[in-house]
Amino acid sequence: MGFRFSSSRLLQESQRGISFFLLPDSIAQNNLRKLNPFFSVGGSISLTTSSTTDTSTTDTSTMSSSISHNIKNRTNAKDVFITPKVLSKIHIDSIDYKDTDLWLDPCKNSGSYYNQFPTENKESCEILEGKDFFEYRGSPDIIIQNPPYSILDTWIKKNIELNPRVISMLIGIGNLTTRRIEWLEKAGYGLTKMKMLKVYKWYGMSMIVNFEKDKESIIEFDRTIYREDKVEEVKVEEVKEEPKKKKKLVIRSVISAYYPPPPYEE
């Protein structure tokens, strides 16, 4: 079933073995944490609940609608978000790698990824150093990154063009769209790991997602946009009877028809 849920409602249903369809923005950490003793999630989907931030500071996990609007509609890209070193290491450790693999960090910046790679067989790009990822012509086995969200479509396509064995990204939960998954699947990549987490001051929840060449995906998607069944309103006409002069409702017609959804895509 699909609805915006409360953890208390799901806890009440915990013994009934019910399968739920959840909207992405309803998957909050606190709800999943409450459900964890009662429910298990298939595949390699996990939740990070530990905190490495100072809890005495102001909590910015919930933003006002005005801040959210400004982020979504900004015209100038502000994509320099440095990944915390501890999270970069967690991300790196999520990769199933081989000793001979060539690693690529396509947006090195401070080196929070690059400096922690488990090998010296590594390369990097960084636009601030005059090394443009879109001009890179190497043959990496693994690309791991916190990509710039303002050009995420072209960034993912460049990843696919380089044809590595593993494409791994740290992205916002709302950025893992079915369209992007479809691009990767058509190129032969299956989504093999997903890890939800929260980064202090980053907007919304984030995810580590690993795509591996020629591997089966743990997620299914459907890009059809479903619409509600179309039903015409019941037409009711008021008539008078003689000589009693009482009113009576007469149903003239009732039409109910189902229209299959056209193959709309996002």
Side-chain angles (χ1 to χ4, degrees):
M1 60 182 72
F3 54 89
R4 298 182 185 274
F5 73 99
S6 66
S7 57
S8 58
R9 168 67 187 278
L10 290 185
L11 287 173
Q12 293 173 1
E13 304 290 351
S14 61
Q15 304 301 321
R16 298 177 57 185
I18 293 177
S19 174
F20 295 93
F21 168 77
L22 305 177
L23 297 172
D25 57 356
S26 69
I27 308 176
Q29 270 196 87
N30 60 333
N31 285 339
L32 291 179
R33 193 180 300 118
K34 293 175 184 177
L35 298 174
N36 187 56
F38 302 95
F39 293 88
S40 62
V41 183
S44 299
I45 303 175
S46 60
L47 169 70
T48 294
T49 58
S50 60
S51 174
T52 58
T53 62
D54 181 359
T55 56
S56 65
T57 55
T58 303
D59 179 15
T60 59
S61 60
T62 302
M63 293 189 177
S64 69
S65 59
S66 61
I67 295 175
S68 174
H69 177 80
N70 289 338
I71 290 174
K72 292 176 182 177
N73 295 280
R74 63 189 177 195
T75 56
N76 295 322
K78 297 179 181 179
D79 289 330
V80 182
F81 294 93
I82 305 301
T83 309
K85 290 181 179 178
V86 64
L87 179 53
S88 297
K89 185 61 166 63
I90 290 171
H91 192 176
I92 290 168
D93 290 343
S94 74
I95 304 292
D96 295 326
Y97 65 89
K98 303 174 184 178
D99 292 338
T100 57
D101 282 336
L102 173 61
W103 292 64
L104 173 66
D105 182 348
C107 37
K108 179 184 174 184
N109 202 285
S110 67
S112 65
Y113 281 99
Y114 183 81
N115 295 338
Q116 298 190 86
F117 284 165
T119 179
E120 291 304 314
N121 189 25
K122 58 186 180 180
E123 296 178 346
S124 68
C125 299
E126 173 51 57
I127 193 67
L128 298 177
E129 298 176 2
K131 299 177 181 178
D132 190 338
F133 175 51
F134 293 105
E135 296 177 358
Y136 176 81
R137 297 293 181 267
S139 300
D141 299 292
I142 297 170
I143 304 178
I144 182 170
Q145 62 223 296
N146 173 5
Y149 298 164
S150 64
I151 51 172
L152 190 52
D153 284 354
T154 52
W155 195 271
I156 290 174
K157 290 176 181 178
K158 176 62 178 181
N159 273 254
I160 293 172
E161 176 189 317
L162 293 173
N163 195 37
R165 190 182 76 258
V166 178
I167 295 175
S168 185
M169 296 177 284
L170 173 62
I171 60 176
I173 190 170
N175 292 327
L176 186 65
T177 64
T178 53
R179 180 172 56 120
R180 290 166 178 157
I181 296 173
E182 185 177 56
W183 289 345
L184 287 153
E185 286 201 353
K186 285 183 176 179
Y189 291 92
L191 177 58
T192 57
K193 289 184 182 178
M194 299 172 64
K195 186 181 185 72
M196 294 174 56
L197 46 91
K198 176 63 186 169
V199 183
Y200 183 63
K201 290 189 177 180
W202 288 14
Y203 178 69
M205 292 290 290
S206 297
M207 299 180 71
I208 290 172
V209 289
N210 292 353
F211 291 86
E212 297 184 63
K213 195 78 169 182
D214 301 323
K215 291 292 185 69
E216 185 176 352
S217 182
I218 63 171
I219 193 171
E220 295 182 5
F221 66 90
D222 181 351
R223 290 190 59 202
T224 303
I225 297 178
Y226 293 93
R227 301 176 183 275
E228 293 182 1
D229 299 347
K230 185 176 180 180
V231 179
E232 287 194 18
E233 295 181 356
V234 174
K235 297 179 180 179
V236 179
E237 184 176 331
E238 187 179 275
V239 297
K240 294 181 179 181
E241 285 187 325
E242 296 293 347
K244 297 181 180 180
K245 298 185 181 296
K246 290 184 179 180
K247 295 181 179 180
K248 182 173 67 173
L249 295 179
V250 178
I251 297 178
R252 297 300 187 191
S253 63
V254 179
I255 302 175
S256 177
Y258 171 75
Y259 294 83
Y264 297 109
E265 294 185 347
E266 61 178 30

